[in-house]
Amino acid sequence: MIAHSSQRPAAVWRSRWRIAVPVAALGLAGALAAAVPASGAVAHHQHPGRPWFLPGNLVVSGSVYTGQASLFTPGVTELPPGCVGSACTPAVADGTYPGVFNNDASDGSFGITSPIFLDQITPSGHLINTLRVADGNGPGGTGRNHVVTSFSSKSELALNLSTNGRDLTFAGYYAQPNTVDVSNANTPGEIDPTNPVAAGYYRVVAEVNAGGRIHYTLTNAYSGDNGRAAILNNSGGSNVIYTAGNAGNGSNPQPDGIIIGAGAQIMTPQRASEKEQTKTVGAPTPVGSFNVTQLGDKADKIGKDTNFRGLTVYNNVVYYTKGSGGNGINTVYFIDTTGKACPATGVGVPQPGATLPTSPIAYNPALLQTEGVTPYNMCILQGFPTTLAKTATMFPFGLWFANKDTVYVADEGDGTNTYSAATNTYTDAAGQTTAGLQKWVFNGTSWNLAYTLASGLNLGIPYTVPGYPAGDNAASGLPWAPATDGLRNLTGRVNRNGTVSIWAITSTVSGSGDQGADPNRLVAITDPLSATSPAPWEQFVTVRSAGFGQVLRGVSFTPGTYFVR
């Protein structure tokens, strides 16, 4: 089905951060602290036989921009790469960060790949070590197993523990740093001839164990777009990976391979080298499917109703979120393996006896162009929105279950960068009422929004990034300085005192060429689990801040961390 490899990447210690300004927060281990970039980096090799990740700590994924000015010559370099004739537009900026992302104006698929790092930190934010993921440069070059991310693709690099808690997973690309437009390229086995990006790159699921060893699985899924999250089901004899993402960057109708390669996928972890895998990578294998016609709505673009971002597994059920795109419904979904949760309405709750899926949907190829992947086996979680995305007011991303009756959902915000110079505020972001951390409670029949936590996020208020350009970006006429717009990926734990502590990655708005390239933050908050309204003392505190040319993407507890619920 897919292929995968075992190797130890370059593991280094880095003193990239200094911790400052301790802030007390109820229920958190130690003081939470704001982090600022530190100059220099010191590397030490890991001691053989010692675990790289220690139970009880956090892992934060991110990336560092490594492009140089010479990547593009303004007015000369044609975008997108491989374009022909009228499809080409000259670059407007060279490869220097952050101005390079003004090239979004020339290329709607613009992106640049970059290396991935995994920071192990204490819950209070102290850096323990950094695992630098092999990127195809250095010893071994492209012959070495590797994976990269697309620097400005904000939906990537979610981190999730496996079902047995012993491995971390994330998704990326089989490419090298400083490659252009990989995130919207086709995969080699599923080519859409209408995609303006000519090249092809496999998507990759990476598994990381407690020792820092990484295995890689290549897939043809998510052609034309990106894989965003992955979870390894390695409990009870199972050995499959669930993934979330999107596919398609061409015209409508989409080819069959694009339709089957979107949304919820399942694949078998591999141990062969990536080079060997390229000889055997098969077609995508969807594990979940949803269509707005299940709710009685008119069909929209086939394959886009499952433009999924968030992914989690709880109590033998796989959950997904959709929070972007103009098709489908922005809401929370789950895979129904019983066939009884939502047979007529498309909305329901997981049924007793549900089991995790272990095989893909046996879809009908003859119906792909008219109905998509069928049969449909996903439901909207009862109580969550059912209105079409074009009128959405909710933009869910990550989700975390504190218990069977409480789920926290990160809302990214709508991404609108309307700005007032008079108040120095991104007014749309500041006025949002659903962005931040939503707490949903189950009453035995339906899920209901209890409240949304945003205090301390300072939505819409620009913050300073050392080294970042001052003033306005001439390309947009808006400030370079970013502001928090909401939250993306998250993780949490239940504390002994009846509270929960939650760590989340922020989203941003700004006047930059691509808001996904903005330096963002890791924040934390503690919430009384039984509360039905926010406690007056509750507010987010900043645990870490990305520096110039850096972005933060995912957060998880370390492999081997177990919490009893």
Side-chain angles (χ1 to χ4, degrees):
M1 203 153 55
I2 315 295
H4 189 163
S5 148
S6 158
Q7 88 170 47
R8 186 176 301 279
V12 301
W13 294 77
R14 291 182 183 172
S15 58
R16 289 191 296 104
W17 307 90
R18 282 193 301 268
I19 306 303
V21 196
V23 181
L26 179 64
L28 291 180
L32 292 167
V36 296
S39 60
V42 180
H44 302 284
H45 292 294
Q46 179 186 8
H47 293 286
R50 290 186 183 179
W52 184 256
F53 296 112
L54 302 176
N57 290 324
L58 295 172
V59 183
V60 179
S61 62
S63 188
V64 177
Y65 182 77
T66 58
Q68 304 296 322
S70 58
L71 278 176
F72 309 100
T73 301
V76 176
T77 305
E78 299 286 357
L79 295 172
C83 65
V84 178
S86 61
C88 300
T89 304
V92 298
D94 66 19
T96 305
Y97 177 86
V100 59
F101 292 102
N102 285 333
N103 284 316
D104 281 23
S106 300
D107 177 4
S109 303
F110 189 74
I112 303 176
T113 52
S114 54
I116 298 166
F117 64 80
L118 302 177
D119 277 350
Q120 179 178 198
I121 64 173
T122 64
S124 61
H126 176 71
L127 177 65
I128 298 172
N129 56 23
T130 294
L131 192 66
R132 186 174 58 197
V133 178
D135 56 32
N137 288 331
T142 56
R144 186 184 186 195
N145 295 312
H146 62 278
V147 62
V148 295
T149 189
S150 179
F151 183 82
S152 61
S153 294
K154 58 190 179 183
S155 58
E156 295 177 5
L157 292 187
L159 293 175
N160 288 289
L161 282 173
S162 61
T163 55
N164 73 359
R166 297 176 182 172
D167 300 272
L168 278 176
T169 45
F170 62 88
Y173 307 93
Y174 185 42
Q176 288 183 279
N178 302 328
T179 308
V180 182
D181 289 2
V182 171
S183 61
N184 280 125
N186 293 315
T187 54
E190 303 296 347
I191 302 297
D192 181 353
T194 69
N195 186 345
V197 182
Y201 302 90
Y202 292 108
R203 279 47 174 169
V204 182
V205 174
E207 304 166 48
V208 189
N209 66 16
R213 185 174 296 275
I214 304 181
H215 300 293
Y216 305 82
T217 296
L218 301 187
T219 177
N220 274 309
Y222 308 121
S223 183
D225 214 301
N226 58 355
R228 296 161 177 175
I231 294 179
L232 172 65
N233 175 8
N234 54 359
S235 300
S238 296
N239 188 38
V240 295
I241 299 170
Y242 310 122
T243 61
N246 191 28
N249 190 44
S251 301
N252 193 25
Q254 301 181 114
D256 288 357
I258 305 299
I259 295 171
I260 66 171
Q265 299 282 314
I266 189 170
M267 57 196 72
T268 302
Q270 303 296 310
R271 292 298 181 266
S273 70
E274 288 177 312
K275 184 176 180 180
E276 285 297 313
Q277 290 182 59
T278 61
K279 304 173 184 178
T280 60
V281 181
T285 45
V287 69
S289 182
F290 184 88
N291 193 293
V292 294
T293 58
Q294 292 173 245
L295 301 181
D297 293 311
K298 182 180 178 181
D300 50 21
K301 189 173 183 179
I302 298 297
K304 288 296 186 179
D305 289 354
T306 55
N307 175 6
F308 294 139
R309 304 196 295 181
L311 171 65
T312 196
V313 171
Y314 181 76
N315 197 22
N316 285 334
V317 177
V318 187
Y319 293 86
Y320 290 84
T321 64
K322 180 185 177 302
S324 63
N327 298 292
I329 297 167
N330 290 355
T331 194
V332 176
Y333 302 81
F334 65 94
I335 295 178
D336 175 28
T337 56
T338 68
K340 300 176 181 179
C342 57
T345 64
V347 178
V349 294
Q351 296 299 290
T355 58
L356 289 171
T358 57
S359 59
I361 296 173
Y363 61 86
N364 185 344
L367 298 178
L368 285 173
Q369 290 297 323
T370 55
E371 299 182 20
V373 174
T374 56
Y376 307 131
N377 67 341
M378 298 186 76
C379 315
I380 292 176
L381 194 57
Q382 179 72 49
F384 280 84
T386 58
T387 55
L388 295 175
K390 58 188 177 183
T391 60
T393 57
M394 180 178 174
F395 305 91
F397 211 108
L399 66 167
W400 175 74
F401 282 85
N403 56 35
K404 65 181 181 62
D405 296 323
T406 312
V407 62
Y408 290 86
V409 179
D411 189 291
E412 183 186 24
D414 62 17
T416 302
N417 62 352
T418 305
Y419 175 76
S420 168
T423 61
N424 187 29
T425 302
Y426 294 96
T427 54
D428 183 88
Q432 295 177 109
T433 59
T434 58
L437 183 64
Q438 299 177 359
K439 181 179 185 177
W440 291 75
V441 177
F442 187 59
N443 64 10
T445 303
S446 179
W447 289 87
N448 298 275
L449 177 60
Y451 49 88
T452 300
L453 295 169
S455 178
L457 290 179
N458 298 320
L459 296 178
I461 307 301
Y463 55 82
T464 300
V465 177
Y468 223 54
D472 293 346
N473 178 1
S476 67
L478 297 172
W480 281 104
T484 298
D485 190 40
L487 301 175
R488 294 176 186 146
N489 291 304
L490 78 165
T491 194
R493 72 172 183 218
V494 178
N495 302 312
R496 293 180 179 178
N497 64 358
T499 65
V500 296
S501 295
I502 295 172
W503 293 260
I505 303 294
T506 62
S507 63
T508 61
V509 288
S510 72
S512 65
D514 188 330
Q515 294 178 157
D518 295 336
N520 57 338
R521 294 169 167 175
L522 171 68
V523 296
I525 196 168
T526 295
D527 182 54
L529 183 54
S530 61
T532 57
S533 61
W537 47 262
E538 284 189 83
Q539 69 172 357
F540 286 93
V541 294
T542 299
V543 181
R544 295 183 77 73
S545 296
F548 179 86
Q550 299 172 339
V551 288
L552 306 180
R553 292 293 183 238
V555 59
S556 170
F557 278 94
T558 47
T561 300
Y562 299 93
F563 296 116
V564 178
R565 296 183 192 167

